[in-house]
């Protein structure tokens, strides 16, 4: 065998310290954005049955949540609101005293070092559960843009550091960018849900946010999972319209899309590790079928390897603890 010529790649895998030395992709706490669901009321901490470990919390629980995140080394949150009342135009989304606006003020006053991302959509606030205004059974794109812009401006006024529109209306980045600039918030970046597929992985989130559509589905505005080139067109439009970050959602089934978006556009890329991806692992781990820590870290690392700079994930707290270990 001594006369064989071949490369010995295993030399760099021999010990843990060696593997760590040459590791190409590294996950850090600073990469993680933790989603939080805010509800009206007091002393509310409702467990989301389909998402073990995730809760809806009222404003009086926010400080404890934020303190825990800071102690873990997590620096960013994305805020979703669950209003008490809904109507056909989602007016609680852009009300000065809306649940998200109150939550943003609360967080920024008590924990100013945290970066607060505001999810900007209407689906949690409309009685029909769609992400825009419904006219004759269809989503009125341009009319919806006006209300989404009002929502973004109200969130910026409340103190949001980043606006993250998730509605997939055509022109939403251009409209929101123009609205923010006009209102004096030209310094506030837009984290666009640039590539958002009509995915079956969103089910548990809709339990948490009470945002299921009351008729039909969202396939007329969210993307067909079979399409790749359409994702590039969507991302390209958002870059041209002034986006500062690009989100690909979901992450795990669309790692190929993430890599392509990262290779084509020179903006920070955000992976959204969605609720269904979270719940499947939690369920499998609770049955002893998988090692939760190992599979979570492998999954999050795969998103970083695919090009993600940041990851929105319900595993943020778990991952921070794993990284400490």
């Amino acid at each position: 065998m001594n006369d064989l010529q071949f490369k010995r790649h295993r030399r760099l895998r021999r010990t843990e310290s060696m593997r760590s030395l040459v590791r190409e992709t590294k996950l850090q706490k600073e990469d993680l954005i933790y989603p939080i669901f805010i509800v009206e009321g007091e002393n509310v901490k409702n467990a989301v049955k389909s998402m073990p470990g995730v809760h809806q919390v009222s404003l009086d629980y926010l400080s404890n949540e934020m303190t825990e995140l800071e102690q873990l080394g997590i620096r960013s949150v994305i805020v979703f609101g669950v209003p008490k009342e809904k109507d056909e135009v989602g007016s609680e989304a852009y009300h000065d005293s809306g649940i998200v606006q109150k939550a943003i003020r609360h967080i920024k006053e008590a924990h100013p070092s945290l970066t607060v991302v505001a999810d900007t959509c209407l689906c949690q606030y409309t009685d029909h559960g769609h992400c825009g205004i419904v006219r004759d059974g269809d989503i009125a794109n341009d009319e919806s843009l006006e209300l989404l812009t009002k929502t973004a401006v109200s969130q910026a006024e409340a103190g949001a550091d980043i606006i993250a529109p998730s509605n997939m209306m055509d022109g939403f980045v251009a409209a929101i960018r123009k609205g923010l600039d006009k209102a004096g918030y030209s310094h506030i970046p837009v984290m666009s849900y640039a590539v958002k597929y009509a995915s079956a992985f969103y089910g548990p989130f809709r339990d948490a946010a009470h945002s299921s559509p009351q008729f039909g589905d969202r396939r007329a505005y969210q993307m067909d999972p079979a399409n790749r080139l359409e994702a590039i067109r969507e991302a390209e439009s958002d870059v041209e319209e002034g986006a500062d970050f690009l989100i690909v959602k979901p992450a795990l089934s669309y790692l190929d899309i993430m890599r392509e978006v990262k290779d084509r556009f020179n903006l920070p890329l955000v992976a959204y590790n969605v609720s269904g991806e979270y719940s499947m692992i939690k369920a499998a781990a609770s049955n002893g079928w998988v090692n939760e820590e190992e599979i979570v870290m492998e999954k999050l690392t795969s998103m970083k390897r695919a090009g993600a700079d940041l990851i929105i994930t319900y595993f943020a707290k778990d991952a921070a603890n794993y990284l400490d270990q």
Side-chain angles (χ1 to χ4, degrees), residues 48-107:
V48 180
K49 291 182 179 179
S50 58
M51 300 178 69
V54 174
H55 297 81
Q56 300 169 330
V57 298
S58 51
L59 291 172
D60 49 318
Y61 274 104
L62 262 184
S63 189
N64 289 340
E65 285 280 338
M66 298 305 108
T67 298
E68 180 185 3
L69 293 175
E70 288 185 318
Q71 290 172 345
L72 286 169
I74 297 168
R75 299 180 178 179
S76 305
V77 295
I78 182 167
V79 181
F80 297 93
V82 184
K84 187 176 293 185
E85 298 181 1
K86 304 186 180 194
D87 57 37
E88 63 179 1
V89 295
S91 57
E92 285 297 305
Y94 42 87
H95 197 287
D96 287 343
S97 296
I99 187 61
V100 161
Q101 287 78 1
K102 288 190 287 190
I104 293 169
R105 292 189 188 100
H106 185 99
I107 295 170

Side-chain angles (χ1 to χ4, degrees), residues 182-226:
K182 185 177 179 180
Y185 298 103
S186 59
H187 60 289
I188 299 295
V190 174
M191 180 183 284
S192 169
Y193 286 69
V195 181
K196 184 177 180 181
Y197 285 92
S199 172
F201 285 100
Y202 301 154
F205 173 90
R206 292 171 184 171
D207 288 344
H210 298 172
S211 62
S212 295
Q214 298 304 300
F215 68 89
D217 54 38
R218 296 178 178 143
R219 296 178 187 275
Y221 45 101
Q222 294 178 358
M223 286 182 48
D224 186 336

Side-chain angles (χ1 to χ4, degrees), residues 92-149:
E92 285 297 305
Y94 42 87
H95 197 287
D96 287 343
S97 296
I99 187 61
V100 161
Q101 287 78 1
K102 288 190 287 190
I104 293 169
R105 292 189 188 100
H106 185 99
I107 295 170
K108 293 308 294 184
E109 287 173 7
H111 304 270
S113 64
L114 286 175
T115 297
V116 178
V117 184
D119 178 78
T120 306
C121 197
L122 300 179
C123 61
Q124 298 107 283
Y125 306 92
T126 55
D127 52 17
H128 47 73
H130 280 282
C131 302
I133 303 305
V134 176
R135 296 286 182 244
D136 299 322
D138 194 16
I139 309 302
N141 191 96
D142 296 7
E143 188 177 353
S144 299
L145 293 180
E146 296 178 16
L147 299 186
L148 291 163
T149 300

Side-chain angles (χ1 to χ4, degrees), residues 236-256:
E236 185 174 36
S237 293
D238 288 4
V239 172
E240 291 171 354
E241 292 173 18
D244 300 284
F245 303 78
L246 300 174
I247 299 176
V248 173
K249 180 183 181 184
L252 196 58
S253 291
Y254 300 91
L255 295 177
D256 59 322

